[in-house]
DNA sequence: GCCAACGTTGGC
DNA sequence: GCCAACGTTGGC
């Protein structure tokens, strides 16, 4: 349940971007490539830029979607056996493509969204690389996708394992202050995807962004 | 392929 | 609860 449950998080069909979407690159036919989505981006070599750090959003407070509670906060992840969960329910091509780029062992921030205090709650590790998200075929699931066929699944998920809580919760409001400051005068958060593409539920961070956010743990709240 | 209408995300 | 931003859909 993870993000799956969180509704918005993964779930939506919102983005587009990359992969299959057609319009995105102008190529609508993306279809062909889409599956991976990744291929396309790199026409030249083979790999995409290749990110190593991530931020994944989920909703820590109860919210009902089709009668199902989509709540899934970091405490919920921590409480699972092995503190591990699949991150299902992502229904956005760009977010999906980022998940497909994830490698075992990489770290991701667990971000709490659509709640009283949005922000970064803790850290998790990617413990299983992208595989088929079975919830897309489950009519009972909030994120069922009637347009996806088992012979050619559209959606993927990864498994994540809880690592630790942040030493202190790092609120969105604080990150935003740094972002604005850095945008004006330069600094590691000047192009943070959390602000440049606010609705994306799975997003990459540069090493500099990741390290800067970590450094905030030991600083006084701005 | 364009674009208006519509739906969703998610901060506030 | 509101609503701005933005992604998706579907007519043409």
């Amino acid at each position: 349940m993870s993000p799956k449950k969180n509704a918005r998080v993964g779930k939506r069909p919102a983005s587009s971007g990359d992969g299959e979407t057609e319009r995105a690159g102008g190529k609508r036919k993306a279809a062909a490539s889409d599956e991976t989505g990744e291929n396309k981006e790199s026409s030249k070599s083979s790999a995409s830029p290749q990110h190593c750090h991530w931020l994944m959003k989920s909703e820590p407070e109860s919210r009902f979607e089709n009668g199902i509670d989509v709540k899934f906060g970091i405490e919920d992840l921590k409480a699972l056996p092995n503190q591990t969960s699949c991150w299902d329910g992502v229904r956005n091509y760009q977010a999906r493509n980022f998940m497909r780029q994830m490698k075992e062992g990489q770290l991701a921030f667990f971000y709490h969204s659509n709640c009283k205090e949005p922000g970064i709650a803790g850290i998790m590790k990617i413990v299983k690389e992208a595989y088929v998200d079975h919830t897309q075929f489950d009519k009972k699931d909030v994120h069922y996708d009637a347009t996806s066929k088992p012979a050619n699944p559209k959606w993927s998920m990864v498994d994540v394992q809880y690592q630790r809580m942040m030493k202190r919760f790092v609120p969105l409001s604080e990150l935003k202050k740094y972002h604005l400051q850095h945008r004006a005068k330069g600094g590691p958060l000047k192009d943070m995807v959390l602000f440049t593409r606010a609705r994306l539920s799975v997003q990459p961070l540069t090493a500099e962004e990741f390290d800067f956010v970590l450094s905030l743990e030991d600083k006084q709240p701005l």
Side-chain angles (χ1 to χ4, degrees):
Chain A
M1 33 203 70
S2 27
K4 40 175 56 288
K5 318 240 27 326
N6 24 299
R8 285 87 172 320
V9 170
K11 42 216 38 289
R12 62 335 228 14
S15 34
S16 49
D18 339 41
E20 327 216 315
T21 319
E22 357 248 322
R23 302 159 142 265
K27 39 218 28 273
R28 56 166 31 207
K29 280 356 221 4
S33 49
D34 25 354
E35 353 247 287
T36 338
E38 333 210 349
N39 321 332
K40 49 169 51 286
E41 341 227 307
S42 40
S43 26
K44 25 188 70 257
S45 54
S46 33
S48 339
Q50 200 170 15
H51 304 280
C52 301
H53 303 283
W54 310 96
L55 179 150
M56 301 169 87
K57 300 179 184 177
S58 188
E59 302 184 36
E61 295 173 4
S62 284
R63 190 173 63 79
F64 290 84
E65 201 172 314
N66 303 335
I68 298 169
D69 192 356
V70 297
K71 167 186 185 308
F72 188 76
I74 194 165
E75 299 293 350
D76 298 299
L77 173 62
K78 194 175 174 180
L80 291 175
N82 213 22
Q83 302 186 319
T84 297
S85 175
C86 57
W87 201 268
D88 59 319
V90 171
R91 297 292 182 267
N92 168 290
Y93 292 117
Q94 191 166 30
R96 178 204 69 177
N97 290 345
F98 282 132
M99 284 202 298
R100 290 180 177 182
Q101 292 176 18
M102 292 177 176
K103 299 296 180 202
E104 196 178 320
Q106 292 181 339
L107 299 177
F109 285 128
F110 194 124
Y111 179 89
H112 281 173
S113 68
N114 203 27
C115 57
K116 217 47 123 347
E117 170 114 90
I120 295 174
I123 299 175
M124 53 196 174
K125 183 167 71 177
I126 307 308
V127 293
K128 181 173 179 175
E129 295 176 12
Y131 60 108
V132 175
D133 178 349
H134 57 87
T135 66
Q136 67 197 302
F137 307 122
D138 180 359
K139 293 196 166 83
K140 299 286 177 297
D141 195 276
V142 192
H143 301 115
Y144 171 65
D145 181 356
T147 70
S148 181
K149 298 292 176 270
N152 189 18
K154 287 188 179 177
W155 308 111
S156 301
M157 62 186 181
V158 295
D159 285 356
V160 297
Q161 182 177 44
Y162 171 84
Q163 295 298 110
R164 66 174 179 85
M165 297 299 289
M166 296 297 279
K167 294 179 203 163
R168 69 174 177 87
F169 182 84
V170 180
L172 174 65
S173 58
E174 181 174 349
L175 293 170
K176 188 164 197 171
K177 287 176 194 165
Y178 281 111
H179 167 65
L180 293 173
Q181 200 173 290
H182 293 182
R183 209 175 53 180
K185 314 181 165 172
L189 299 196
K190 81 178 150 51
D191 297 318
M192 195 180 188
V193 176
L194 190 58
F195 303 103
T196 60
R197 319 227 27 212
R199 296 173 48 180
L200 191 59
S201 66
V202 175
Q203 42 185 272
L205 280 79
T206 63
E208 291 70 29
E209 289 165 345
F210 190 85
D211 291 343
F212 182 81
V213 172
L214 281 183
S215 76
L216 296 179
E217 290 186 301
D218 300 311
K219 280 190 202 149
Q220 289 298 102
L222 237 208

